[in-house]
Amino acid sequence: MTTKLELVTQHVRAVPDFPKPGILFRDITPLLGHPEAFAASIDLLKDAVADLRVETIVAIESRGFLFGAPLALALGCSLVPVRKPGKLPHAKRRVEYALEYGTDALEMHEDAIRQGARTLIVDDVIATGGTAEAAAELVRQVGGEPVGHAFFIELAFLEGRKKLAPLPVRAVLTY
Ligand code: AMP
């Protein structure tokens, strides 16, 4: 019998030299195209964060939405989108973060999180951890309590989880 972990592993495609030479891109589109594998990935994420008593999920644009939204429904918690600049219509906070070349920014509505709500930050992949760190800072700025990070895939050799310490970091697959 195929386990859930085997099923999800079989549906992640490694694409060499995308988006640029030297990067091995982990492509989740085969997983999205296979309902049983996609459901298994959400079950495994749910199990991985079961002890964190999460009340709110913050999902990072755009592939983070694909995991954050079904996980929020599975856990019965609220869902907050973190978006690229200029997309959110209401009063918001912005955090800038460093990229390999230059900076990027993320935004969140000021009233998105109930004060003190136990908040889990979700994205598809953790690489250097810069994106997730910026999202955790936004949670703090609007009055939520970050209690952990969850990713479908962790690229462990980039040591992104060090940047997120002391918050717990959970991942379904590790490369
Ligand atoms: P970072 O801020 O360095 O942790 O980058 C995280 C973001 O980059 C995530 O939203 C991923 O979608 C994307 N990412 C970085 N490296 C990869 C990779 N090798 N395969 C797929 N996505 C990646």
Side-chain angles (χ1 to χ4, degrees):
M1 206 195 86
T2 312
T3 66
K4 286 180 185 175
L5 195 54
E6 286 165 348
L7 189 61
V8 302
T9 304
Q10 288 161 6
H11 289 86
V12 177
R13 174 164 54 197
V15 183
D17 300 316
F18 183 87
K20 50 187 181 182
I23 305 283
L24 183 62
F25 190 83
R26 302 293 174 173
D27 176 19
I28 57 157
T29 60
L31 182 92
L32 302 176
H34 191 291
E36 201 185 340
F38 188 29
S41 74
I42 302 305
D43 287 348
L44 291 168
L45 271 170
K46 186 181 172 190
D47 293 347
V49 302
D51 61 316
L52 299 178
R53 293 184 292 118
V54 175
E55 296 172 296
T56 295
I57 283 182
V58 161
I60 303 174
E61 185 171 355
S62 55
R63 285 184 301 256
F65 295 170
L66 299 170
F67 293 94
L71 185 59
L73 289 175
L75 291 172
C77 56
S78 57
L79 176 65
V80 175
V82 159
R83 301 215 58 183
K84 304 278 168 59
K87 304 278 190 182
L88 290 170
H90 188 59
K92 60 213 162 194
R93 291 296 180 98
R94 172 188 293 214
V95 167
E96 295 197 350
Y97 60 101
L99 296 175
E100 194 177 348
Y101 303 103
T103 61
D104 211 339
L106 291 174
E107 293 183 345
M108 186 191 292
H109 276 154
E110 264 173 13
D111 62 356
I113 301 181
R114 188 180 51 74
Q115 296 304 290
R118 296 177 60 83
T119 303
L120 178 74
I121 296 131
V122 175
D123 205 354
D124 65 331
V125 174
I126 176 173
T128 66
T131 310
E133 185 185 31
E137 173 58 25
L138 277 173
V139 171
R140 289 188 192 98
Q141 283 196 15
V142 305
E145 184 195 351
V147 294
H149 291 267
F151 305 93
F152 176 54
I153 293 172
E154 177 181 12
L155 304 178
F157 59 95
L158 294 171
E159 300 189 327
R161 66 166 61 218
K162 281 190 183 169
K163 209 172 263 174
L164 307 178
L167 289 179
V169 173
R170 306 285 164 78
V172 172
L173 300 179
T174 304
Y175 296 103

